[in-house]
Amino acid sequence: MKSEVIEILLDGQSICAVSKEDAHAWLAEESNREAVNSVLMNVNRTVARVGDTYHAAYLTLGEEERKIAKAHLKDAAHALGPIVRWIVMTQDARSDDTPLRAGDAIKGAALMDAAERIPAVREELARISRMPFFGSTSDAIDAQIKQTLAKLTKGGYLVQPSPERQHYLVTGKVEYLYALLHLIDEVGGLSLEALADPGPQQEPLL
Amino acid sequence: MSRGSLHQEGVALLSLLSRHAETILDTYLKGSIAESELEPRKLDALMRGGRVLYRPEPGADLRLNPDVERMLKMALQDERNRSIDADTANLVAGIKALAGHYKESLTYGRMEEADHALLEIESSVYEFKYRLQKGIKGLWSRINSEFGYVTSLSGKIRENEWAQSQVALLIERLGMVNFTELWELAGEQRDLRRILVNTLQRAVSECSEELLSVQNRIAELLGRFRTRQRHNLTLKGWLIHSQRNPDYAAAVADLPWGKELPPLLNVAAPVLKPANVDVAGFYRQDLLDIAATLKGAAAPKVRKAPAVNLPVQMAPAQAIEAMVDPIQVSVEGFLIAALDAGGSPVSAAEYLRDEAWEKDCWVCLLLIELDRRRLEGEGSIFVETILAEPRTDAPGISVVQDVLVCASA
């Protein structure tokens, strides 16, 4: 298991209970993490944990590493818009205000059904799937759903347990996205929560 | 009312309920029923004495008698049954009175009355225990379904807070039962002691303990709901913000992140190129050995396939990759044939008839190749069906006869 875990981490993938169940359980043992760290330190890397998901981070951040981390941030920020819109769309499809969590199931058929039933979901799906991040050119709902799900799977946000079925599971990477959003919110001073929920409106005076 | 007439009355009530089960359940689920929906005779039977249906106020629709409704809620384990009835003060007061009767009856030798009082004490303790346990079970099921009967997060948070106040009240009330007092009350009466001290005290301490873990779980759940609500608002806030400032995402990297980057942003770049099983190289013999074991005792007739350098023009760095194993080329040729067939299945056995390869080895490589493509996300193009036949001389082992491959794209 040790070499598999090291390979996954060095490949830049993250390890959560959904995407890599065995590796995740193995890494939960502190002694195993230490064993991995003692190998990773040779390439200036260490196991980092966000929420319940592990990834490889730099042990020491030099100028070069900072540059790479910034480039990674740039990519992540670029993907934020399309993915956040997609997450909110799935909430609307479920008529629910609970954001996706690791382990949630996404079924192609359920999205299809919602898109056919709810015009707002259908229109948003059409807009989102055409964004360069998803890059669909199709007018068919079915193809748009397939394309968005395939891209999210490729990005590590979803896993598809069986290639024959349009049935996906949300990975822990979504928790990273939330953490990143909160961080941007904090550092950028955006007050995003207040923006979405201005709180009780003041009663107009007469 | 004598025992006999109580029995008669009870049987009449239960058969009334069963005769009108449909109407009663409809009313239970809808909350009320209009008088006009019922035939006069039925109406009369159900409303007599307000036993089953009653009118809460003049002009209102009919409702189920609260006792009947409670009975249904308890019996059906309806999640909507959220109230927990555990009035300890009332219970203790009732027990005190009954214990008084019991001891007095014993003193004067009125054994039947004493028995009756003891029975009453026993049933009130059992009922109390039952209600408490049922209430706690209900709480667990509400917790486990994450208050599934309400959809919105704010609704869940409200339900959670209410459950929390209920649990706190219950714990407080259970804590108020004074066992020293009950101990003294029981005195030397062995039966009374058994009920009050053994049964009641044990029930109260077990339930208190369980309520504490319920309380912890509820608090944990509330924290989770609040986190989700925070995520939800942040997501929506980000959408609004990006709509107003479309270029913001591109400038995120230039925010004042400080000299020490926040740990969240410390993500190392990948250092590995994707690796695949090298079917043509070092492990080939291992793969062939596996194929050999599949065949059983007979040794595989493996032909040594000489590596050839295909005559293609390539940059020198890529030239190494062009050392292709001919058997691999044959497998790929088959896949191309499957693509050309445009969705209709192509048989590997048939294809092999024109090829000189040893079947088992070739099929093994084909399956590895399909696996590799699937791992690389190209798998959706090909769907294979494996036709295998069990070996009569080796139970549990099947030998692949043919593989049908169909290009789905």
Side-chain angles (χ1 to χ4, degrees), chain A residues 108-186:
Chain A
L111 281 180
M112 182 83 192
D113 175 60
E116 279 170 349
R117 250 181 328 108
I118 312 167
V121 171
R122 184 166 60 241
E123 286 156 21
E124 180 68 351
L125 172 68
R127 277 192 296 267
I128 293 175
S129 63
R130 283 203 188 88
M131 293 172 87
F133 179 82
F134 290 115
S136 169
T137 49
S138 175
D139 287 328
I141 298 176
D142 185 34
Q144 291 169 352
I145 290 174
K146 270 195 184 152
Q147 175 78 3
T148 45
L149 292 178
K151 279 283 169 179
L152 289 165
T153 307
K154 206 171 165 208
Y157 292 92
L158 301 177
V159 284
Q160 190 180 14
S162 152
E164 285 91 35
R165 294 179 60 209
Q166 288 287 310
H167 185 154
Y168 298 78
L169 293 174
V170 176
T171 69
K173 204 166 171 182
V174 76
E175 312 285 347
Y176 181 86
L177 183 134
Y178 296 149
L180 181 61
L181 260 186
H182 289 307
L183 187 66
I184 292 174
D185 186 7
E186 193 189 309

Side-chain angles (χ1 to χ4, degrees), chain B residues 296-315:
Chain B
K301 299 174 285 171
V302 178
R303 205 177 333 175
K304 261 222 146 110
V308 295
N309 207 344
L310 287 190
V312 267
Q313 295 280 315
M314 275 190 180

Side-chain angles (χ1 to χ4, degrees), chain A residues 10 45 58 66 97 101 176, chain B residues 228 259 264 266 269 271:
Chain A
L10 287 183
R45 279 160 172 80
Y58 291 116
R66 228 190 304 277
D97 57 354
R101 280 166 292 152
Y176 181 86
Chain B
R228 279 180 220 165
K259 208 167 145 39
L264 189 70
N266 181 352
V271 287

Side-chain angles (χ1 to χ4, degrees), chain A residues 6-7 10-12 45 48 50 55-58 61 66 68-70 72-74 77-78 80-81 84-85 87-88 91 95-99 101 163 175-185 187-188 190 192-193 195-197, chain B residues 146 151-154 156 224 227-242 244 248-250 252-275 374 379-380 383:
Chain A
I6 291 172
E7 199 169 321
L10 287 183
D11 192 31
R45 279 160 172 80
V50 174
H55 68 269
Y58 291 116
L61 275 169
R66 228 190 304 277
I68 293 170
K70 282 260 179 83
H72 177 267
L73 172 63
K74 223 171 190 164
H78 174 69
L80 267 182
V84 169
R85 277 177 76 169
I87 293 175
V88 172
Q91 287 177 205
S95 313
D96 193 343
D97 57 354
T98 309
R101 280 166 292 152
E175 312 285 347
Y176 181 86
L177 183 134
Y178 296 149
L180 181 61
L181 260 186
H182 289 307
L183 187 66
I184 292 174
D185 186 7
V187 175
L190 305 182
L192 294 178
E193 281 181 67
L195 204 58
D197 179 20
Chain B
E146 303 202 339
T151 327
S152 73
L153 272 174
S154 41
K156 283 179 196 290
R224 250 189 276 163
T227 308
R228 279 180 220 165
Q229 201 178 34
R230 218 179 125 223
H231 289 341
N232 177 42
L233 290 176
T234 307
L235 287 173
K236 292 193 170 147
W238 177 256
L239 286 190
I240 297 171
H241 182 265
S242 336
R244 293 183 192 163
Y248 192 83
V252 159
D254 304 326
L255 284 174
W257 293 110
K259 208 167 145 39
E260 285 301 314
L261 278 183
L264 189 70
L265 302 186
N266 181 352
V267 178
V271 287
L272 291 182
K273 291 267 189 286
R374 189 164 302 128
S380 54
V383 181

